[in-house]
Amino acid sequence: MKFESTGLRAAFRPPPSTEAAGASSANAGFTLFETLIAMLVLSIGLAGLFEANGRALRTVGTAADYAKARVIARGLLADATTGWSIPPTSQNGSSGGFEWAIDVAPETSPWAKVDVRDGWKLRRVRVTVALGDGRELVLTTLKFGRNNG
């Protein structure tokens, strides 16, 4: 038999004989044990995927909380350092579900001891935002300020 378009012999295999099929019919298909093992392997793989997905969701939640706390802390730090009058003070509060604290104190480092006139002092401004679960975000800066307006 020739293939019409190319003139090559057609690839034709005769169907398997019934005698050969009868001999291998005991080995054909999957056994219940093989199916159970395949299901076990599949379930272990899916459990690993679900665990990785849960861990990724927790990581995204932590990153989102950190980003919100950073925005709050930067805003508080900007508000605390506006103007020239920065008296030593401490404030506490909450915003967006986060507890925060602002501490303004004179800088006590030896390098900060500078003789100045008119009540100018170098102040250390520290903003702390509690993220929950024991973590804190702390931003610190230095600013010249006067005790009186």
Side-chain angles (χ1 to χ4, degrees), residues 88-106:
T89 184
S90 290
Q91 298 174 356
N92 294 325
S94 65
S95 177
F98 297 101
E99 299 293 323
W100 55 264
I102 300 173
D103 293 317
V104 179

Side-chain angles (χ1 to χ4, degrees), residues 3-111:
F3 193 66
E4 294 178 15
S5 66
T6 60
L8 298 175
R9 288 187 54 105
F12 175 75
R13 289 190 184 156
S17 67
T18 56
E19 296 147 5
S24 66
S25 66
N27 294 332
F30 295 105
T31 63
L32 180 60
F33 183 70
E34 291 170 332
T35 305
L36 289 175
I37 294 298
M39 295 297 278
L40 176 68
V41 170
L42 179 67
S43 65
I44 290 172
L46 287 175
L49 284 175
F50 286 136
E51 173 61 29
N53 185 39
R55 189 172 302 140
L57 288 175
R58 284 190 299 275
T59 302
V60 166
T62 301
D65 286 347
Y66 180 76
K68 289 176 191 174
R70 188 158 177 86
V71 167
I72 291 169
R74 292 182 102 187
L76 291 169
L77 188 64
D79 288 345
T81 57
T82 339
W84 296 112
S85 176
I86 306 176
T89 184
S90 290
Q91 298 174 356
N92 294 325
S94 65
S95 177
F98 297 101
E99 299 293 323
W100 55 264
I102 300 173
D103 293 317
V104 179
E107 181 58 43
T108 58
S109 300
W111 57 265

Side-chain angles (χ1 to χ4, degrees), residues 10-11 20 38 48 56 61 78 85 89 113 123 125 131 148:
S85 176
T89 184
K113 303 249 189 258
R123 308 275 187 217
V125 182
L131 292 162
N148 51 6

